[in-house]
């Protein structure tokens, strides 16, 4: 009997501790519902407040691509820019950084289910985004990546005064990563080298979505494909023309995902695992190829009509996912 009181006190402490834990988890779930959700694994900070997580892999940033979001910031520093279709036939970009980090990137917008499959090709990439559909959040939590949102890394984001919200959220990459991880982290499966023989002389190529379009025009002077978005030349905030060394028009299956926006529009899911046809544009020519990505953790290879791998030109690569 003499031990009864301590036992009751111990039990009471356990109940209170469980209640505190439950309240904490509930608060975390509520936070998921905000536009800028706060989910990220624990990570250390340097004395100046910079995060050290993700320094060994690429940084992927979801970037707005409607007219109100342009000109984008930091897009010209990306190694690879992926263009995907989203709700309403509009487009969104994912910029991947490995060899250098710009001072700022944006405008940053929300993630989509397709991003998780696309990013599996990298080793625990850092994904910077502003939020996601509520039911998608658990999948992002379970994915082998480091999610970085304004709620999780508030010091890395800021609101600009150049555009109205929500098109004015920007990221400072140096606040998330100690430095660029380097070319070895760019495990896309792409090969770089001399242009293959043959090809078709191509001056311009346009890819259309229901409510967006991308046009790439060859510049012999710059030896680059000049990018236009919805018929308007794409420029950086400094006025520099956005240009790519290689453009890939990758024909893929685009199906309806399980998720939709607040208006009930279902998000397209872009399937990037499998195989299909693709056009590789480089050096003013277009090369017919077959793309193959055997599994989500694999990169994508491009094979010419003669069965040989097709090498890309040095410089930025744009991959536009077009409906097969």
């Amino acid at each position: 009997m003499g031990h009864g009181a301590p036992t009751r006190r111990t039990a009471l402490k356990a109940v209170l501790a469980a209640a505190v834990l439950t309240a904490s988890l509930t608060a975390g779930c509520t936070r998921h519902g905000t536009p800028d959700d706060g989910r990220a694994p624990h990570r250390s900070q340097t004395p100046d407040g910079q995060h050290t997580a993700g320094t060994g892999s690429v940084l992927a940033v979801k970037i707005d691509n409607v007219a109100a979001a342009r000109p984008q910031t930091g897009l010209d520093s990306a190694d690879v820019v992926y263009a995907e279709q989203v709700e309403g036939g509009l487009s969104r970009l994912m910029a991947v950084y490995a060899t250098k980090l710009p001072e700022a990137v944006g405008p940053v917008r929300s993630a989509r289910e397709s991003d998780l499959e696309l990013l599996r090709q990298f080793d625990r990439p850092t994904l910077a985004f502003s939020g996601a559909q509520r039911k998608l959040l658990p999948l992002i939590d379970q994915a082998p990546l480091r999610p970085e949102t304004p709620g999780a890394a508030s010091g890395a984001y800021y609101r600009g005064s150049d555009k109205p919200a929500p098109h004015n959220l920007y990221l400072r990459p140096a606040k998330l990563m100690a430095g660029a991880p380097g070319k070895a982290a760019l495990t896309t499966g792409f090969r770089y080298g001399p242009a293959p023989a043959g090809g078709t002389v191509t001056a311009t190529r346009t890819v259309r979505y229901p409510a967006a379009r991308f046009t790439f025009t060859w510049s012999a002077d710059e030896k680059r494909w000049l990018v236009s978005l919805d018929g308007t030349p794409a420029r950086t905030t400094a006025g520099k023309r956005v240009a790519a060394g290689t453009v890939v028009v990758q024909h893929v299956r685009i199906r309806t995902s399980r998720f939709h926006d607040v208006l009930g529009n279902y998000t397209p899911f872009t399937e990037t695992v499998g195989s299909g046809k693709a056009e590789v544009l480089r050096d003013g020519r277009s090369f017919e190829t077959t793309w193959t990505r055997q599994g989500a953790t694999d990169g994508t290879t491009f094979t010419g009509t003669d069965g040989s791998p097709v090498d890309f030109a040095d410089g930025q690569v744009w991959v536009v996912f077009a409906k097969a």
Side-chain angles (χ1 to χ4, degrees), residues 117-199:
E117 180 176 277
L118 183 60
L119 288 172
R120 286 289 306 280
Q121 65 189 299
F122 304 111
D123 180 20
R124 288 198 64 81
T126 297
L127 174 61
F129 62 107
S130 63
Q133 205 276 340
R134 179 184 291 271
K135 293 182 179 179
L136 177 59
L137 294 174
L139 297 184
I140 298 176
D141 280 331
Q142 297 164 16
L145 54 79
R146 302 178 188 276
E148 294 287 1
T149 64
S154 59
Y157 290 87
Y158 67 95
R159 291 282 180 182
S161 59
D162 56 335
K163 302 179 181 71
H167 313 293
N168 63 349
L169 180 65
Y170 296 91
L171 170 73
R172 298 182 183 93
K175 294 292 185 179
L176 292 183
M177 305 173 68
K183 191 173 183 179
L186 205 62
T187 51
T188 55
F190 303 164
R191 292 169 47 109
Y192 298 82

Side-chain angles (χ1 to χ4, degrees), residues 83-95:
E84 62 180 343
Q85 184 178 326
V86 293
E87 301 86 355
L90 295 170
S91 65
R92 189 153 292 177
L93 306 177
M94 178 189 286

Side-chain angles (χ1 to χ4, degrees), residues 293-314:
R293 186 180 175 203
Q294 295 184 348
T297 58
D298 297 317
T300 306
T301 60
F302 296 86
T303 306
T305 55
D306 63 354
S308 300
V310 174
D311 290 341
F312 292 1
D314 290 336

